[in-house]
Amino acid sequence: MEIIKTAVAGTLESSDCMVTIEPAQKGLELDLESAVIRQYGKRIMEVALETLDRLDVQNARVSIVDKGALDCTIKARVECAAMRAAEHEGRISWGGVIR
Amino acid sequence: MNNPNKYRLRRTMMFLNCQKPGLIKDPYIYKPDSIMLDLEDAVAEREKDAARFSLYHALQEIDYRGVERVVRINGLDTDLWREDVRCAVAGGCDSIRIPKTETADDVRTVEYAIAEAEREFRRPVGSVLIMAALESARGVINAMSICDSSERLFGIALSGGDYSRDLQISISGTGVEFMGARQHMIIAARAAKIQCFDTVWTNLDDMEGFRREVETIHSMGFDGKSIINPRQIPVVHDIYTPKEKDIIFAEKVIKEIDEKKARGIGVFTVDGKMIDIAFYDGAKRTIALAKASGVYEGDL
């Protein structure tokens, strides 16, 4: 999936996270801000990277501001931001790349 | 199609905005019978895509501990509802709520899309149930044909906000403006042997008014009420749980009718009240509701 513009998904409300994805030239750059970064930072990064990998996003700058999001919310926000940034329209591959 | 969930207990259906992760992550702690995961009115137009991703992963990953997961899709007059159905069915929802239902064809159109999605995502055809929200004068007038439209349809629900706008009236809080629709809908639902649900009560500062309204719809025969706040759950469940004297009376009625029928007696008295076979189904329903509410440990 090619990231062609900057897009945002999510909010800064409790239990949510805000994900920003921007186009980049070489590889993935991931930045995380979280009040629980010491406890869950590694896990949040893992979930985000796995999600980007499934979506085949190879070049992007990704910023996550976490407010206590569950794994399912992190996945949902990364996917939504990536789809918006790639200007994806039409049917979604539920159970395929979205899982 | 024989879906065992069609007639499950549904005293409370709590609306939750799929756009808000904080709302959909653990609503089961409040013990509603059903949750209504909303993709429609509560979700901002530009967040419809985000709400679907949240819904899909919540359905897949959160254990709602037996609470029924109903998804309200966007209206059939939008280009959103078909993808809503795919998302909800793929995620594993139990039921889909159709908003603004006006005709039996509306239900059949969604039913067809659900069946397609069940095949696409390898779920048994018939596993996803449907409920229809009636939100207009035309929808209420067509209640009977809507109720008869599909084997998957477990119930109809009045949606008071849109209905009152269509009738060009405001909601008074007394319920007088909904009397005709409520009576018509419950009769149609009972004729079709499906369930019927009442609209939300939005004034959270008036819990006495809420209790009076729940008592009214309970006495009219509604199976439950749509709710918007966990504080409303214990009020509804309290009113819908059979009281001890009702359970004792129902037990006596069932046992007496069984015994008298065997002896060829049709009419008799229980606790001074004249009883015949017409009381049997009602007594059975009281015991079933008491069992489902966890307050009956008898042998019936």
Side-chain angles (χ1 to χ4, degrees), chain B residues 233-251:
Chain B
I233 295 172
V235 176
V236 180
H237 287 190
D238 177 50
I239 290 166
Y240 271 81
T241 301
K243 305 297 176 278
E244 191 178 357
K245 68 176 177 51
D246 301 323
I247 296 169
I248 292 169
F249 183 72
E251 271 189 319

Side-chain angles (χ1 to χ4, degrees), chain A residues 13-16 70-73 75-77 79-80 83-84 90-92 94-95 98-99, chain B residues 19-22 25 46-47 49-50 52-54 56-57 61-62 83 86-87 90 120-121:
Chain A
E13 293 173 16
S14 176
S15 303
D16 203 347
L70 297 176
D71 286 6
C72 59
T73 301
K75 281 188 211 175
R77 296 314 193 194
E79 286 162 355
C80 185
M83 293 283 183
R84 288 174 174 177
R91 287 156 70 98
I92 302 289
W94 307 111
I98 306 300
R99 65 176 188 270
Chain B
Q19 197 182 328
K20 307 265 186 190
K25 70 183 172 70
R46 62 188 182 85
E47 296 296 334
D49 56 344
R52 280 198 204 116
F53 288 110
S54 291
Y56 177 79
H57 289 292
E61 295 181 31
I62 296 173
E83 193 62 26
R86 289 184 69 245
C87 173
E120 180 182 358
F121 299 110

Side-chain angles (χ1 to χ4, degrees), chain B residues 25-212:
Chain B
K25 70 183 172 70
D26 55 4
Y28 51 81
I29 60 175
Y30 304 110
K31 297 186 167 58
D33 293 325
S34 309
I35 52 170
M36 185 80 62
L37 297 155
D38 192 13
L39 295 173
E40 199 214 10
D41 285 353
V43 178
E45 204 59 37
R46 62 188 182 85
E47 296 296 334
K48 297 287 188 185
D49 56 344
R52 280 198 204 116
F53 288 110
S54 291
L55 171 71
Y56 177 79
H57 289 292
L59 287 171
Q60 285 277 297
E61 295 181 31
I62 296 173
D63 177 4
Y64 285 101
R65 303 180 193 189
V67 174
E68 183 184 32
R69 299 149 318 149
V70 184
V71 175
R72 179 164 76 165
I73 59 172
N74 284 282
L76 274 60
D77 55 346
T78 70
D79 59 359
L80 299 164
W81 73 271
R82 287 184 186 278
E83 193 62 26
D84 292 345
V85 168
R86 289 184 69 245
C87 173
V89 173
C93 75
D94 299 306
S95 310
I96 283 179
R97 174 173 168 136
I98 310 169
K100 301 181 178 71
T101 312
E102 296 213 318
T103 66
D105 277 347
D106 289 348
V107 178
R108 287 191 280 264
T109 299
V110 176
E111 180 179 38
Y112 187 80
I114 291 173
E116 270 190 337
E118 285 170 336
R119 285 188 283 271
E120 180 182 358
F121 299 110
R122 299 178 194 284
R123 293 188 60 180
V125 173
S127 58
V128 177
L129 294 170
I130 298 174
M131 68 178 293
L134 311 190
E135 311 189 18
S136 65
R138 182 172 296 276
V140 170
I141 288 291
N142 289 336
M144 190 67 250
S145 60
I146 290 169
C147 288
D148 279 335
S149 61
S150 166
E151 265 298 299
R152 292 179 190 251
L153 194 75
F154 70 75
I156 54 172
L158 175 63
S159 184
D162 284 294
Y163 176 72
S164 61
R165 275 190 289 281
D166 199 38
L167 248 58
Q168 301 171 19
I169 52 165
S170 54
I171 297 174
S172 66
T174 65
V176 66
E177 62 278 7
F178 295 141
M179 282 173 65
R182 282 175 171 151
Q183 196 69 70
H184 183 68
M185 286 173 63
I186 189 72
I187 293 169
R190 288 294 175 259
K193 300 199 179 337
I194 62 170
Q195 296 177 336
C196 195
F197 308 97
D198 193 44
T199 188
V200 295
W201 174 271
T202 55
N203 184 356
L204 293 173
D205 292 332
D206 183 7
M207 292 300 283
E208 275 308 305
F210 175 67
R211 175 172 277 275
R212 280 196 300 276

